[in-house]
Amino acid sequence: MERPEIELLKRAEELLLRSEKTGRITATVFLTPAEQYAIEKQEEAAGRTPLFYGGAEGCERRLCFFVPEYLDEEPEYGDFIAALSVKVGFGEPGHRDYLGALMGLGIKREWIGDIRIKDGTATVFVLPSVLRHIKDSLVSVGRYGAKVEELPLSEIPPAEIKRKSVCFSVKSPRLDAVCAALFGVSRSTAASAIGEGLVSLNYSPCFKCDAPVKTGDTLSYRGKGKALIGDPGGRSRKDRLFVNAEIYE
């Protein structure tokens, strides 16, 4: 286990213990999918189910919440997450432009959640502690002037996630075989990509061609796409395993 992951899991355990000791809900900063997966596995090993939320349904970067056992209700998410509308008058800045403008204000990446862009307006999720600073200081995104307004979380719709269902067969559910079938490359090309660290299994680079791929896993191939592995679909007459998956469009 790499040092950053050790520190992450240690911090999560500290937040859990603080929640239990004080009887108050605690939460992490915004976590990447890989960080969420690491905490999820730690919590599941301890018989607990972690609670993740990023400000709206479908968010990729989310906080992990630790709730005292005696509390039945969900957290008041507005106490932990704020949302902003950032509108530009002209031009079409991209995700990198918005992120760069925010970090240029001295805001750390983990204080910023998802950035959704549509029709010249970005919806940005942030920690409440940096809300005022952004509203007072963000006047441009790249070369374009910007207007910032706070948004209630209740008014933000779920993310539009488009996925295409596919089904294919493999001799065995090895990473190289599944990767090749999913993304339409040869087995040798998939193996080379895995060796170069271009393929991630559950958001972490995997260098093992024979790593098993199972239901619920997320598989991504840099430059090719990302897919969610579904339930197996039985076997063919030639004893090949059918695999169902959803490819993100």
Side-chain angles (χ1 to χ4, degrees):
M1 187 181 298
E2 296 181 0
R3 186 67 185 177
E5 185 172 314
I6 294 174
E7 293 296 332
L8 170 71
L9 298 180
K10 181 180 178 181
R11 177 59 177 159
E13 194 66 23
E14 290 173 350
L15 288 169
L16 171 66
L17 293 175
R18 184 192 302 174
S19 176
E20 293 176 345
K21 182 178 180 179
T22 64
R24 301 178 63 182
I25 297 171
T26 59
T28 64
V29 292
F30 286 100
L31 304 171
T32 66
E35 291 169 333
Q36 294 170 46
Y37 184 78
I39 291 178
E40 185 175 23
K41 291 305 172 186
Q42 174 174 269
E43 293 299 290
E44 288 180 350
R48 299 185 292 260
T49 302
L51 173 62
F52 295 103
Y53 192 67
E57 293 302 319
C59 282
E60 187 172 76
R61 286 179 173 266
R62 302 180 294 177
L63 283 68
C64 182
F65 293 86
F66 300 94
V67 183
E69 290 186 0
Y70 68 88
L71 289 181
D72 294 329
E73 68 271 14
E74 287 191 347
E76 291 290 337
Y77 293 117
D79 294 338
F80 298 89
I81 304 170
L84 293 166
S85 167
V86 182
K87 297 181 180 180
V88 296
F90 301 95
E92 297 182 359
H95 185 280
R96 183 177 297 179
D97 298 306
Y98 286 100
L99 181 60
L102 291 166
M103 295 185 68
L105 301 177
I107 298 172
K108 295 182 178 180
R109 183 64 182 97
E110 59 265 31
W111 300 345
I112 307 169
D114 281 13
I115 300 174
R116 300 179 180 176
I117 305 169
K118 185 176 182 180
D119 300 329
T121 300
T123 300
V124 184
F125 299 95
V126 299
L127 297 184
S129 58
V130 299
L131 176 63
R132 174 54 58 185
H133 178 46
I134 296 173
K135 290 178 68 176
D136 291 343
S137 306
L138 187 63
V139 295
S140 63
V141 176
R143 299 181 289 110
Y144 312 106
K147 181 180 179 182
V148 181
E149 296 180 352
E150 186 174 358
L151 291 174
L153 294 183
S154 59
E155 294 183 5
I156 301 174
E160 296 180 5
I161 302 175
K162 296 181 179 181
R163 294 188 293 217
K164 178 178 67 175
S165 297
V166 296
C167 182
F168 53 88
S169 66
V170 291
K171 189 173 182 180
S172 67
R174 291 168 45 113
L175 180 58
D176 55 354
V178 174
C179 184
L182 258 177
F183 300 109
V185 299
S186 67
R187 183 88 169 259
S188 60
T189 297
S192 296
I194 292 168
E196 294 172 18
L198 302 179
V199 176
S200 293
L201 184 60
N202 294 319
Y203 306 103
S204 296
C206 183
F207 296 91
K208 297 181 179 180
C209 287
D210 61 350
V213 178
K214 60 186 182 301
T215 300
D217 284 348
T218 297
L219 181 62
S220 57
Y221 184 162
R222 193 182 307 169
K224 297 289 186 181
K226 181 173 74 171
L228 177 66
I229 305 301
D231 294 326
R235 289 188 173 274
S236 69
R237 294 181 179 179
K238 295 184 178 180
D239 201 34
R240 290 177 62 87
L241 177 67
F242 286 110
V243 177
N244 294 301
E246 293 185 328
I247 299 177
Y248 290 80
E249 298 183 329

